[in-house]
Structures are given as structure tokens and as C-alpha cells.
Amino acid sequence: MRKVAIIGLGQTPVREHWESNLRDLGVTALRDAMDDAGVDTVDGVCVGNMLSGALSEQEHLGSLIVDYAGLDGVEGMKIEAACGSGAAAIRMAVKAVGSGLMDTVGVVGVEKLTEYSGKFSTAALATAADADYETTMGLSFVGINALLMRRYLYEYKYDKNDFSIFPINAHKNSIHNPNAMFRYEISEAQYAKSKHIAEPINLLDSSPIADGAAAVIVCAQENISQFKGKPISILACEVGTDTLALDNREDPLWLKGVERSVKKAYYLADVKPKDIDFFEVHDAFSIITALSLEASGFAERGEAIKFADKIGIGIKGGLPLTTGGGLKGRGHPVGATGVYQVVEAAKQLRGEVAKEVQIENNNIAMAQNIGGSGATVITTILKRIV
Amino acid sequence: MDIPRYWRLKDQRYRLQGKKCLDCGNLSFPPRLVCPKCKSRNYEKYFFIGKGTVYSHTTIYQAPDRFDHIAPYSVGLIDLEEGVRITAQFTDVPAEELKIGMKVEMVIRQIYEDGPKGPILYGYKFRPVISV
Ligand SMILES: [Zn+2]
């Protein structure tokens, strides 16, 4: 395996982009990343996307993006792993470049979730779950996470309002991210009064559906001098899986997919959880942040909230989380999210975020993208190149 | 329209038919072609009795399109007596009375109508145990 690096970054704001279609969002992010890297072509394009077929009546995104990005003839393919599609696409690029099959690969995560009414998008998002045995029982994707949260509250005796620590922190950071959808703070009182989506999950536990695209250019680390972009090393980008359906897991509160993914990533990167300077956690719902902190080895089982409280998850804390606002504050364009997370982490390491949220002396970052209720998990560990 | 799916799943939806591994005895619901424990492909049909306890539950307010007209409704994870966990809607019980650990049993109820002119599709739901 060759060492691989990220040499270019691009992103559109996360918004309800009624004026833009999938291809325009995707091409904008990809071309911005290529400009940042200083390249006019790539050897391949990996497109991370979940719902283009269901919500834009458009599949075949690989060739579509390649065509409209002016890369005619270049190989392009769509990678799908539900909400984990974005980082899954990065994983494919890392494999292609690491193996030596390609030298430079563009990755773009793109999603449009606001074409139809919320009910229709809710049904489309539920296709991440088991269609025969979960979704057709009336379970929504929020509902699956609500089942986890209810059991967590029961087993570990937390008050539901204790979870507010995660969305409050996310919103505090998204204020300083011009690409974030929600740029305002939220309070404990607002959290406590927030309306139920699927009890006990309320609106402020839930990341909002949105449109957006983010892109990175992946190259061989030995070639970084050929580019103008500021390189960041990819120490690991590793996948772990688990049963698709939540009910098929013996211990639903332990995300085995997360554990499998981080074990491989920590091993390859030769780091331990205490070496991670900040963590772009997959905060699709507050409960997932808690379960991820535990299965990733940061907090003991059932202790994620106490851990977050004690170590500090703000910018000056011991483990800053969701420095660009996370899925909660930035917005969650599902198939693009994994790429947004890595773009945010790389910008932090480059020292290119707003000074209010810039972590000083950072060196190693972790981003984790979770598909479904934890059936596909991709953990990426990045390091500054000095 | 997903009539073939409902026809295909009728033994699961009406009779909780899963599988029992002939090599290690492991029980599965849904039925699987490969035993998750010993990887054997030797199986026989196994019918679960349909009694269990609530592992977790939620009440859904913002529902997928197809279920929107019945929201709010409650869905849960149920630990069957035979040691397998399944996902199902609850029925005949107000949301506020649902509790983790509650004893429940399977009944057949309407799951949804497939459009105004489509068939009414039935399947398992769970209610608090009333029979002895
Ligand atoms: Zn077996």
C-alpha cells in the first residue's frame, strides 16, 4: 500500500438548494476541489450518493458528474452505503490510489433531499433499513434511533435532557461555518421543549435533511509536490459492518460496526483514542454521538454523556466534537455528509477555519461516517504533514 | 404496489415463520439462507409462538408517506420467548402505557392499504398479553 493524501478540498453550502440540481452541486464541489489541488483532470471519480434515484429520478451519477465536470472519458462510479455513502466513496479512492491502480482520484459526495415533501424524503431515507422487516412495519429512520435512545435511557438511567450537550455544542460551532445550514445557538430550555419526531427523539436531537455537495482530491503522498494544494495525510480509512436490521443484533447499544471500523483504523494509523485531537462524529441523532463515543473507545459503556461533560467537547475541550457544526448544525445531505466531515477535518488541520473554532496545535483528526443504524461505518484518520 | 412482496412474506407476516439451523440449533427470524452462528445452510422451518417482552419502543409522529395517516403510532423491538428479537407495531395499547419489559403477544392486524384502490395488507402486530 502506498501512502495517500488529500490534496484538494471543495464544498457547497448546505442548504435547500431549490435552484440547483444534483449535477451542478456535484460539479461545483468537485471543480472547487480540483482548483484547490491545482489539477485539470483526474484518473477517476467516485461519487458518494444515497437517494438520487428515489428523489431526483436520476441514477448513473458517475458518468453524469464526469460528463458535466468536463472530464470526458474518465472513469466515474456511484458508491452507495446509505448515510455512509460519502466516506465509502473516499474509501474507494484510497483503495485505488493506495494500490497504485490510479494516481489521482476525485471524490464527490452529493445529495438532494428537498425535491419532495418531508414525508416522501422520510420514506426514502428509511430505505437504509431492512425493507421487508423494519420499514414495512412503519418504522422510520428516526424511529430506529429512537428505539436505541429509549433503551439507553432505560439501561443507564439518564435524564433525556442530558443529551442536549451534543446538539448545543454542534450549534455553537456551526455559527462560525459559512457553509452550515443552521447558524444560531440553541439552549437547554429550547431542547427540553422541542417537539417529538419519534419519542424520545425530538427535533433538536435530529440532524436536518438538506442538499449539498463536498469533494476531496486524493493523491499518492509521494506525489504531493506536483500539486499546489496543502496536503493532509490519510493515515487510515477503514470500514466496519454489522447486521442491516437493528433487531438482529444481540446487543443493539454496542455499535459493533463502529468497533470493527475503529479497530482497523487505529491499528493502521498506529494511534490510540487519546492521540485524536478532535473528532468529527456522526451526530445524525444525539444518541448516535453517545454510542459512537463508547464503541470508538473514548468513553466507557453508558458513560458517553459523563465523559463529554468531563473532558469537554467544545473547541478548547479535551476532545472537540463536530467543529464545523456536525450533521446537526451543518445539515445532513446524507450521501455528501461523509465528505463534508473529512473536508472539515482537513480544513482544521490546515488551519483554515474561522479563528473562533480553530483548534490550536492540532495534529491528528478522526472523522466517522455511519450508514443506517450502524450497518456500515467508515472511520478516517487524518494527520497534518509537517 | 408490492403485492409479490406481501405474497412472498405471507408465512412470516401471518405465522412468524423463521428458520432453525439443523447443525447448531440456532433460530432465525427473518429466515436466512446461511446460519449466522455456524454458517450452515441446513435449515428447517420454525414457527415462533408469538409471545415476548418489549425490549424498546417509540411513538412515531413524523411518519413515512405510507403510514402518515395513522401517526402517531407505536413501534418496538420485541424479545420473543424463543430468544429472537423482532420489529413490530403495537396495537390495542395507548402509547403512554407501553413499557420496557411489558409482556406482549402477536395478533394479526392491518399494516397498511396499498393506495385507495389497492389491497389491504395484513401482518403481525403485538398487544399486551390478555389471553392465558
Ligand atoms: Zn447453525
Side-chain angles (χ1 to χ4, degrees):
Chain A
M1 262 284 286
R2 294 197 286 184
K3 284 188 174 177
V4 293
I6 291 175
I7 199 72
L9 307 174
Q11 61 182 319
T12 73
V14 178
R15 298 286 185 269
E16 292 178 318
H17 282 290
W18 292 324
E19 75 293 351
S20 303
N21 56 15
L22 274 171
R23 72 190 76 171
D24 289 350
L25 290 171
V27 166
T28 302
L30 178 60
R31 273 287 172 182
D32 283 354
M34 288 171 64
D35 289 349
D36 185 43
V39 294
D40 53 15
T41 191
V42 289
D43 300 323
V45 174
C46 299
V47 181
N49 171 270
M50 177 185 175
L51 292 170
S52 67
L55 297 178
S56 298
E57 292 161 357
Q58 179 71 64
E59 288 291 7
H60 214 167
L61 290 193
S63 292
L64 177 71
I65 300 285
V66 161
D67 176 7
Y68 277 76
L71 298 170
D72 31 317
V74 167
E75 166 183 330
M77 272 178 220
K78 164 169 162 172
I79 316 292
E80 192 277 321
C83 330
S85 300
I90 296 177
R91 162 76 173 164
M92 291 304 154
V94 168
K95 286 203 279 193
V97 174
S99 68
L101 198 63
M102 291 182 177
D103 282 327
T104 310
V105 175
V107 180
V108 54
V110 59
E111 200 79 64
K112 272 194 77 67
L113 297 175
T114 66
E115 290 290 85
Y116 290 90
S117 76
K119 281 183 281 181
F120 204 77
S121 299
T122 301
L125 286 166
T127 60
D130 187 320
D132 283 355
Y133 295 98
E134 289 182 306
T135 326
T136 43
M137 294 295 121
L139 198 54
S140 61
F141 191 59
V142 187
I144 291 174
N145 290 277
L147 292 170
L148 286 169
M149 190 174 192
R150 171 92 65 192
R151 186 72 194 189
Y152 192 95
L153 291 168
Y154 170 83
E155 282 198 16
Y156 304 125
K157 317 287 178 227
Y158 281 101
D159 182 89
K160 151 122 180 75
N161 292 328
D162 294 337
F163 276 91
S164 64
I165 184 172
F166 299 120
I168 286 173
N169 174 65
H171 276 251
K172 210 170 258 172
N173 293 337
S174 62
I175 291 175
H176 306 290
N177 179 357
N179 292 308
M181 189 144 110
F182 294 151
R183 303 187 67 191
Y184 51 80
E185 288 204 42
I186 58 170
S187 68
E188 267 177 70
Q190 282 169 310
Y191 180 88
K193 278 192 299 194
S194 175
K195 69 170 181 179
H196 285 127
I197 309 285
E199 220 180 332
I201 288 185
N202 67 33
L203 186 66
L204 293 181
D205 284 310
S206 317
S207 55
I209 61 169
D211 309 332
V216 295
I217 307 300
V218 174
C219 72
Q221 196 156 309
E222 66 206 28
N223 295 341
I224 54 175
S225 59
Q226 300 170 12
F227 303 90
K228 84 169 169 60
K230 204 167 169 184
I232 296 293
S233 186
I234 303 179
L235 297 182
C237 178
E238 291 294 314
V239 182
T241 65
D242 199 353
T243 65
L244 191 77
L246 186 62
D247 57 18
N248 275 206
R249 298 180 199 160
E250 272 170 34
D251 184 3
L253 294 184
W254 185 257
L255 296 179
K256 230 187 242 180
V258 167
E259 184 189 16
R260 288 167 171 155
S261 159
V262 295
K263 266 193 176 161
K264 289 193 268 186
Y266 291 152
Y267 174 77
L268 261 187
D270 194 21
V271 299
K272 294 191 167 60
K274 65 170 174 45
D275 301 320
I276 305 294
D277 293 318
F278 62 99
F279 181 23
E280 286 303 313
V281 66
H282 189 94
D283 60 331
F285 302 96
S286 313
I287 179 66
I288 295 300
T289 303
L291 296 179
S292 163
L293 286 171
E294 293 170 16
S296 296
F298 293 107
E300 294 293 321
R301 219 189 138 129
E303 302 276 314
I305 293 171
K306 287 176 203 148
F307 164 84
D309 209 31
K310 199 173 149 207
I311 196 166
I313 56 173
I315 296 302
K316 294 194 178 348
L319 184 69
L321 296 182
T322 57
T323 60
L327 284 60
K328 178 68 195 78
R330 187 198 302 113
H332 185 24
V334 290
T337 283
V339 186
Y340 274 104
Q341 290 177 307
V342 168
V343 167
E344 171 64 21
K347 281 174 75 85
Q348 270 285 352
L349 292 171
R350 284 175 167 195
E352 290 175 357
V353 298
K355 64 178 191 312
E356 294 88 345
V357 287
Q358 181 66 57
I359 300 162
E360 283 168 39
N361 303 319
N362 62 17
N363 191 36
I364 296 178
M366 183 158 116
Q368 190 174 76
N369 192 198
I370 300 183
S373 53
T376 305
V377 181
I378 305 101
T379 304
T380 306
I381 300 177
L382 302 176
K383 189 172 191 274
R384 188 188 283 237
I385 299 175
V386 274
Chain B
M1 298 293 277
D2 54 358
I3 292 170
R5 173 191 286 178
Y6 258 77
W7 172 80
R8 193 165 60 238
L9 293 173
K10 60 190 183 309
D11 284 347
Q12 284 74 51
R13 296 277 162 80
Y14 303 157
R15 304 165 71 197
L16 284 181
Q17 182 244 305
K19 282 190 176 173
K20 180 179 182 179
C21 174
L22 292 174
D23 287 312
C24 78
N26 182 62
L27 300 177
S28 294
F29 188 90
R32 287 170 178 263
L33 293 175
V34 179
C35 172
K37 288 274 182 291
C38 76
K39 318 304 173 194
S40 162
R41 293 173 68 185
N42 296 319
Y43 262 114
E44 66 180 10
K45 288 183 178 178
Y46 184 90
F47 295 90
F48 291 87
I49 291 166
K51 287 190 186 299
T53 54
V54 175
Y55 175 85
S56 191
H57 59 95
T58 177
T59 301
I60 294 181
Y61 292 84
Q62 285 187 15
D65 220 5
R66 187 181 265 173
F67 295 94
D68 192 47
H69 65 289
I70 59 164
Y73 56 91
S74 297
V75 185
L77 296 174
I78 293 132
D79 286 340
L80 298 178
E81 280 178 357
E82 297 91 338
V84 167
R85 185 174 295 139
I86 74 168
T87 304
Q89 270 185 47
F90 294 107
T91 185
D92 306 355
V93 57
E96 57 278 11
E97 285 177 23
L98 282 168
K99 287 206 165 40
I100 289 176
M102 183 183 241
K103 296 241 180 282
V104 290
E105 63 186 4
M106 173 199 165
V107 287
I108 299 290
R109 289 285 188 274
Q110 179 183 325
I111 304 287
Y112 61 85
E113 290 179 43
D114 205 349
K117 289 184 180 159
I120 299 171
L121 300 163
Y122 293 88
Y124 52 78
K125 291 191 182 181
F126 281 74
R127 69 177 177 199
V129 172
I130 49 172
S131 54
V132 265

